[in-house]
Amino acid sequence: MTRRLSPAERLASAEKDLLLEDIADQSSWDRFLVEQAVFHYGTRHDQFSANDLRDVLPELAHGFLGAVIGSLSSAGIIERTGRVVPSTLDSTHGHRISVWRMSIKGLLIAEQRRARAEQQRPAA
């Protein structure tokens, strides 16, 4: 039985593309894509909330958003800013949700990925 990779390990992985069967072993394809989207969004914005992410994700992904944010937070990749905003999701009736930012660990993973991508580009 193979060990499941943590979100940090998946994001820091040297492999650009995981095999579909590896992704299926680790989590559902949809959850994996949402995880990648949240990480990507976080690297390009100083702060974000689930409201921001719901605006850019397809509706199908919304069900994974809370679990992915929790997973990335538990892994130390994102962290709360201490701010909260009202949810824009009608079903929550304006419930307060956290505002997040990339942690130092998350930023280091993003920098390592960027550096690997640059090394793999063919010379012009």
Side-chain angles (χ1 to χ4, degrees):
M1 179 177 188
T2 59
R3 181 179 73 82
R4 286 187 175 196
L5 298 175
S6 72
E9 290 168 326
R10 285 193 299 273
L11 292 169
S13 172
E15 296 296 319
K16 182 178 177 196
D17 298 315
L18 294 174
L19 296 174
L20 184 56
E21 65 189 47
D22 291 339
I23 293 167
D25 287 344
Q26 295 168 26
S27 65
S28 76
W29 178 250
D30 292 335
R31 183 177 168 140
F32 179 78
L33 289 175
V34 174
E35 188 176 272
Q36 292 295 312
V38 172
F39 182 79
H40 181 79
Y41 193 91
T43 62
R44 281 150 181 76
H45 297 85
D46 291 335
Q47 299 181 0
F48 58 92
S49 72
N51 293 337
D52 301 312
L53 295 161
R54 278 193 304 270
D55 289 345
V56 298
L57 290 171
E59 191 171 326
L60 178 65
H62 295 181
F64 295 104
L65 192 51
V68 165
I69 287 174
S71 174
L72 293 175
S73 173
S74 294
I77 296 169
I78 62 173
E79 61 189 14
R80 285 185 169 91
T81 64
R83 293 183 42 235
V84 293
V85 294
S87 173
T88 57
L89 192 61
D90 289 338
S91 62
T92 64
H93 306 289
H95 178 77
R96 308 294 279 175
I97 59 173
S98 293
V99 176
W100 300 90
R101 67 178 163 231
M102 295 296 287
S103 68
I104 292 173
K105 180 179 181 178
L107 293 171
L108 288 172
I109 291 169
E111 178 56 27
Q112 290 166 351
R113 289 174 58 156
R114 186 200 59 74
R116 272 195 312 275
E118 278 186 15
Q119 289 175 348
Q120 294 175 353
R121 285 192 189 121

